[in-house]
Amino acid sequence: DAMVIQNPRYQVTQFGKPVTLSCSQTLNHNVMYWYQQKSSQAPKLLFHYYDKDFNNEADTPDNFQSRRPNTSFCFLDIRSPGLGDAAMYLCATSRTSGRVNEQFFGPGTRLTVL
Amino acid sequence: GENVEQHPSTLSVQEGDSAVIKCTYSDSASNYFPWYKQELGKGPQLIIDIRSNVGEKKDQRIAVTLNKTAKHFSLHITETQPEDSAVYFCAATPDNYGQNFVFGPGTRLSVLP
């Protein structure tokens, strides 16, 4: 089945130690998103890629970076995680042809910062 | 920008009863309204959506209604089952490819056996 895959599902890091989360998709969608979701809150968009074009949300901290080496993969880099960055990180995809707007989410990576 | 409100924040129903969750939005340019179900520890799953050119859409026990004039849309779940227990998020987007989803704050639905 076509899907959005996130690895790892659980990640523990230390305060200030860089961490990378990964996302891959078999849907062949040209748009990929990264969301941060804290407990009992709605997902908050950090940034998205429209094909290779990177689009950063205005209030996304500089501590968060992203890479998209090809259509299928996207990475979230947190350069110096703080305690406030502990959250679920969700990857999503959509396409700009056919049934546009629909976003498909991966299972998420739960990040713990010690 | 768009603002989405969602009510109630928590909802408990008896198994077999109906559940209704309501959302309002502010931007009249919004034209796509999805509903997501999120189970504990999992990513949101799209369960139904509606576009601004229709007023109602149904998929088995789930239906969504849209009133563009009043800027509100609702999720209806009939014959609820314990596995319907989850957090439900509505969203609205005015953009061409959905790049600016604005989510509601969520509703925690509990279906009591």
Side-chain angles (χ1 to χ4, degrees):
Chain A
D1 287 340
M3 58 177 60
V4 181
I5 302 162
Q6 290 189 243
N7 286 303
R9 294 293 313 279
Y10 301 91
Q11 176 73 57
V12 180
T13 190
Q14 291 182 328
F15 183 94
K17 185 174 182 181
V19 65
T20 294
L21 310 182
S22 72
C23 176
S24 64
Q25 52 122 345
T26 60
L27 297 162
N28 202 30
H29 285 174
N30 59 326
V31 189
M32 294 187 76
Y33 308 79
W34 279 105
Y35 287 87
Q36 179 191 64
Q37 186 179 29
K38 296 191 175 181
S39 182
S40 301
Q41 296 183 19
K44 178 180 181 298
L45 183 64
L46 296 173
F47 26 61
H48 75 278
Y49 277 93
Y50 183 134
D51 295 324
K52 294 183 179 180
D53 294 334
F54 178 71
N55 297 272
N56 199 31
E57 293 301 298
D59 57 354
T60 298
D62 293 339
N63 197 27
F64 292 88
Q65 304 287 319
S66 185
R67 296 169 284 134
R68 189 180 186 185
N70 54 52
T71 301
S72 300
F73 285 86
C74 197
F75 300 97
L76 170 62
D77 301 308
I78 308 176
R79 294 192 295 188
S80 182
L83 297 179
D85 297 328
M88 174 81 90
Y89 290 88
L90 297 163
C91 174
T93 71
S94 70
R95 59 183 180 176
T96 56
S97 62
R99 283 189 64 81
V100 300
N101 303 119
E102 292 179 11
Q103 287 194 20
F104 295 88
F105 284 82
T109 294
R110 181 162 297 283
L111 178 68
T112 300
V113 181
L114 301 178
Chain B
E2 177 65 276
N3 180 53
V4 177
E5 297 184 354
Q6 184 173 347
H7 298 281
S9 57
T10 60
L11 178 61
S12 293
V13 299
Q14 288 295 133
E15 182 177 358
D17 287 350
S18 295
V20 180
I21 303 171
K22 299 181 179 180
C23 288
T24 61
Y25 62 98
S26 60
D27 190 342
S28 58
S30 286
N31 54 20
Y32 175 67
F33 308 92
W35 285 90
Y36 285 86
K37 174 185 180 182
Q38 187 172 27
E39 297 177 20
L40 191 63
K42 297 184 178 180
Q45 177 190 6
L46 178 67
I47 56 171
I48 197 167
D49 57 12
I50 193 166
R51 297 178 191 270
S52 59
N53 56 345
V54 297
E56 184 174 359
K57 182 177 179 181
K58 189 174 182 181
D59 182 4
Q60 299 182 344
R61 296 186 297 109
I62 296 173
V64 57
T65 58
L66 171 65
N67 183 327
K68 284 222 75 178
T69 302
K71 297 197 189 71
H72 65 71
F73 57 111
S74 299
L75 176 70
H76 305 254
I77 306 174
T78 59
E79 300 173 20
T80 53
Q81 301 166 4
E83 51 264 39
D84 294 328
S85 296
V87 178
Y88 291 80
F89 291 100
C90 63
T93 180
D95 298 296
N96 290 331
Y97 62 89
Q99 72 272 32
N100 280 325
F101 268 29
V102 178
F103 284 93
T107 295
R108 182 174 298 279
L109 173 65
S110 299
V111 179
L112 308 174

